[in-house]
Amino acid sequence: MLLRHSATSPFVRKVAVLLHETGLIARVSLATVDGWAEPDELTADNPLSMVPTLVLDDGSTLYDSPVICDYLDRQHDGPTMIPTDGAARWQVLRDQALADGILDCAVLVFVELGKRPEDKRWDWWLDVKRRAITRALDLLEREVGRYGGRIDLGTISVAVALGYLDLRGAVGDWRDARPQLAAWYARFAARPSMVATAPPA
Ligand SMILES: N[C@@H](CCC(=O)N[C@@H](CS)C(=O)NCC(=O)O)C(=O)O
């Protein structure tokens, strides 16, 4: 399998952490690509020009990150990262959706601040996205007590989202007034899978 990836994409990191946690990393080669540049090798595999994009051995392609993670979780023999049924399944998928939503907002903030010309910035848009991230973080602070030592696609997604907030600083210091979340993240971020996939500073 070939994973079209970028070292700073948090959606790629989610897939990469899952690959490490399941031992599948040895079966995947990585091809670095800049989705924003719309390179031919990426758009041929994914017309949306987005990473992550997974190319399977038969040449077929999978995206986006939830679809790739679902596929990969069926390719290993260890504990599943997505429970197959019951309340636990919906909890994990909702946790992934919440974390991916934080990332969608944080990427939009990054684009607004990092790519859009300064005189064209839209403060209302920035504020709406930052408030969404803030509400989601407050919910995580209330809920993180139930995570315990869970290692699954939900907790991986949340940890990756928090790591991306550290990388890009979309909402300032998210640890402020969220001690439970900060303590949980400190433990999770020390996992070898998180260390191995940390984005360049
Ligand atoms: N929903 C997608 C989001 C992927 C995404 O936003 N990727 C960004 C990098 S973080 C990207 O490729 N951006 C390039 C572009 O939008 O042109 C997923 O979960 O994989």
Side-chain angles (χ1 to χ4, degrees):
M1 295 183 276
L2 175 79
L3 183 66
R4 298 207 182 279
H5 89 127
S6 104
T8 52
S9 165
F11 298 99
V12 168
R13 190 180 187 195
K14 177 174 55 152
V15 171
V17 172
L18 184 138
L19 286 169
H20 280 273
E21 292 288 348
T22 57
L24 286 170
I25 189 72
R27 287 173 46 190
V28 175
S29 44
L30 302 177
T32 303
V33 72
D34 176 7
W36 304 102
E38 302 168 82
D40 292 344
E41 73 267 26
L42 179 60
T43 56
D45 287 332
N46 179 350
L48 301 173
S49 192
M50 284 188 145
V51 289
T53 292
L54 185 69
V55 185
L56 303 182
D57 294 341
D58 67 1
S60 59
T61 56
L62 291 176
Y63 39 85
D64 56 358
S65 65
V67 176
I68 294 172
C69 289
D70 194 349
Y71 174 81
L72 291 173
D73 201 29
R74 292 156 198 257
Q75 310 304 314
H76 66 95
D77 297 326
T80 53
M81 295 288 123
I82 309 170
T84 46
D85 49 34
R89 173 178 175 79
W90 306 115
Q91 193 63 68
V92 164
L93 291 178
R94 203 243 35 195
D95 288 345
Q96 176 184 220
L98 183 66
D100 283 3
I102 291 173
L103 287 179
D104 286 335
C105 292
V107 169
L108 287 169
V109 169
F110 168 67
V111 169
E112 197 68 27
L113 296 178
K115 297 204 179 274
R116 195 187 290 276
E118 205 168 336
D119 60 321
K120 296 199 168 54
R121 266 184 209 157
W122 194 6
D123 287 337
W124 175 84
W125 181 243
L126 277 171
D127 290 345
V128 167
K129 295 300 147 194
R130 283 180 165 143
R131 280 197 297 271
I133 297 172
T134 299
R135 285 191 300 269
L137 290 170
D138 290 342
L139 177 64
L140 286 172
E141 172 68 9
R142 294 196 296 277
E143 292 190 348
V144 71
R146 68 171 162 71
Y147 285 180
R150 259 177 54 193
I151 310 296
D152 55 36
L153 185 58
T155 52
I156 289 171
S157 304
V158 170
V160 164
L162 296 174
Y164 187 70
L165 294 181
D166 282 345
L167 180 72
R168 298 292 194 211
V171 285
D173 186 2
W174 61 265
R175 289 171 180 80
D176 243 12
R178 298 188 189 95
Q180 313 294 331
L181 193 58
W184 173 82
Y185 177 69
R187 286 193 301 277
F188 203 100
R191 294 187 66 75
S193 61
M194 290 289 288
V195 174
T197 59

